[in-house]
Amino acid sequence: MRLKLLSVFLLTSVCVPLSVHAQKTVEVHGEYTYEVGENDNITFREAKRKCLELARAEAIKAEFGELITSDVIDSNVETNGEATSSFFWENTVAMAKGDWLGDTKPAELNIEYVDNKLIFRAEVWGTAREIKQAKADLKWKILKMGNGEMEETNRFFDRERVYLSFRAPADGYVAVYLITGDDETSCLLPYPKDPSGRFQIKRGKEYVLFDRDVDPTAFNYRLSTKHPMEDNQFVVIFSPNPFTKCNDITGDAKHPNSLSTFDFQKWLLRAQRADSDMIVDKRWVKIRKRSSQQE
């Protein structure tokens, strides 16, 4: 998937940990089994992702404690003219008593079909960091324009504009990345023409990002896909301490700076290890092609 310069993001309130004390970093291991019944409204890819996230949550739980929650958004999706209710799984580990910093070896995922159920079994190994500080209340939403006004969503059609609303309780710095289905990560913020590589914010101020009508220096983005349907992941990074975006490759006039997802994950792991105050929050969105009736 390529991300065109023209944007849409949603605002979703999320509490994530902000730690200023010394934190324990250890290697962890976890397993999880997830069953999908024949009537469960979840895609194969979503079930795999959910199982892996819950295995990581189990690994953190075993090492640091029970404070693990999961956010699920119940959204109505129209398919072939019929409205259906579908559950979209949000970040599972964000509220844990630890941060998953990265895998130390590839996760193992086994899938079986038993008694009309798909059984996903995940085993993960990684590095996690203990969270001891009370949670900081970051608020951000992914938005698009609907019926003449901004609305929060995690569902997009190909080439719809995306915006992001963001507010933090402390002065600091924020970066936004998009991990696409083509193993590419695009840097949406700081904007491509910003020579500093940093985007500074003030506490309590609400920012609407990717909207040139609000900020003349902003870039606008559209989400796009070459496939019938594609999952992309937004990564929002916040810290009260200055940090510089990763060393990416400059895009052309229609595309943001980007790098491979592998190189992005390596940079993010180093950044988290160097800054115990850094918050990393991730959310998934779906992008699908429009039907001929919708075009």
Side-chain angles (χ1 to χ4, degrees):
M1 184 211 120
R2 297 290 291 173
L3 180 74
K4 304 290 185 182
L5 282 179
L6 234 96
S7 98
V8 186
F9 271 72
L10 273 181
L11 291 170
T12 301
S13 300
V14 164
C15 293
V16 282
L18 176 61
S19 173
V20 295
H21 299 299
Q23 297 167 312
K24 179 182 178 184
T25 301
V26 298
E27 291 192 0
V28 294
H29 166 258
E31 300 178 62
Y32 195 83
T33 299
Y34 177 61
E35 296 183 359
V36 181
E38 59 181 344
N39 295 321
D40 290 348
N41 192 1
I42 186 171
T43 68
F44 188 84
R45 182 179 295 179
E46 287 171 345
K48 287 170 55 179
R49 182 170 68 237
K50 177 177 176 179
C51 189
L52 288 168
E53 289 179 349
L54 288 171
R56 293 182 179 117
E58 285 297 309
I60 294 174
K61 174 181 174 181
E63 183 66 33
F64 299 128
E66 298 284 341
L67 187 59
I68 293 180
T69 64
S70 301
D71 297 329
V72 179
I73 290 178
D74 183 8
S75 58
N76 292 320
V77 181
E78 186 174 308
T79 305
N80 298 326
E82 296 183 3
T84 59
S85 179
S86 110
F87 287 99
F88 187 78
W89 194 263
E90 289 291 296
N91 188 16
T92 303
V93 185
M95 307 277 285
K97 286 187 68 177
D99 283 330
W100 185 271
L101 298 181
D103 298 339
T104 54
K105 62 183 286 189
E108 293 183 2
L109 185 67
N110 296 310
I111 305 168
E112 298 179 287
Y113 190 70
V114 180
D115 296 331
N116 295 322
K117 292 182 179 180
L118 274 174
I119 311 296
F120 294 79
R121 294 186 175 89
E123 187 171 8
V124 296
W125 297 263
T127 302
R129 181 175 60 196
E130 185 179 18
I131 297 297
K132 293 183 177 179
Q133 173 82 358
K135 303 177 186 115
D137 188 17
L138 284 187
K139 296 187 183 295
W140 63 283
K141 298 178 185 177
I142 302 170
L143 304 168
K144 70 178 180 181
M145 187 65 70
N147 298 319
E149 60 183 28
M150 294 284 190
E151 61 182 28
E152 182 177 358
T153 185
N154 54 21
R155 308 274 176 167
F156 290 85
F157 286 112
D158 181 43
R159 294 196 53 75
E160 274 194 302
R161 288 184 60 174
V162 62
Y163 307 86
L164 186 113
S165 170
F166 182 86
R167 189 173 81 245
D171 292 353
Y173 300 82
V174 65
V176 180
Y177 289 84
L178 181 72
I179 300 176
T180 73
D182 294 333
D183 195 32
E184 180 181 86
T185 297
S186 297
C187 178
L188 308 187
L189 191 78
Y191 296 121
K193 293 183 179 179
D194 187 342
S196 72
R198 297 174 179 176
F199 191 86
Q200 191 169 6
I201 62 165
K202 296 295 184 181
R203 64 184 180 275
K205 180 179 178 179
E206 182 131 342
Y207 293 83
V208 178
L209 306 172
F210 319 141
D211 189 347
R212 203 168 290 158
D213 293 337
V214 175
D215 178 1
T217 68
F219 274 69
N220 299 327
Y221 299 103
R222 293 184 189 270
L223 295 179
S224 64
T225 179
K226 297 176 289 187
H227 311 287
M229 182 177 290
E230 182 176 330
D231 292 335
N232 284 192
Q233 187 179 54
F234 282 102
V235 181
V236 170
I237 306 166
F238 170 79
S239 177
N241 308 310
F243 68 94
T244 304
K245 72 172 189 174
C246 59
N247 189 3
D248 47 31
I249 299 171
T250 302
D252 58 30
K254 294 185 177 179
H255 298 94
N257 294 358
S258 63
L259 73 168
S260 74
T261 297
F262 178 75
D263 287 340
F264 168 69
Q265 297 289 6
K266 285 199 305 182
W267 168 82
L268 183 58
L269 178 59
R270 290 195 301 268
Q272 286 183 277
R273 285 175 171 168
D275 184 357
S276 62
D277 293 334
M278 181 173 284
I279 297 171
V280 178
D281 193 22
K282 304 174 183 179
R283 295 183 195 156
W284 293 90
V285 295
K286 279 191 175 300
I287 310 162
R288 58 175 177 159
K289 290 286 189 183
R290 293 181 185 271
S291 65
S292 56
Q293 293 87 350
Q294 293 167 325
E295 293 177 348

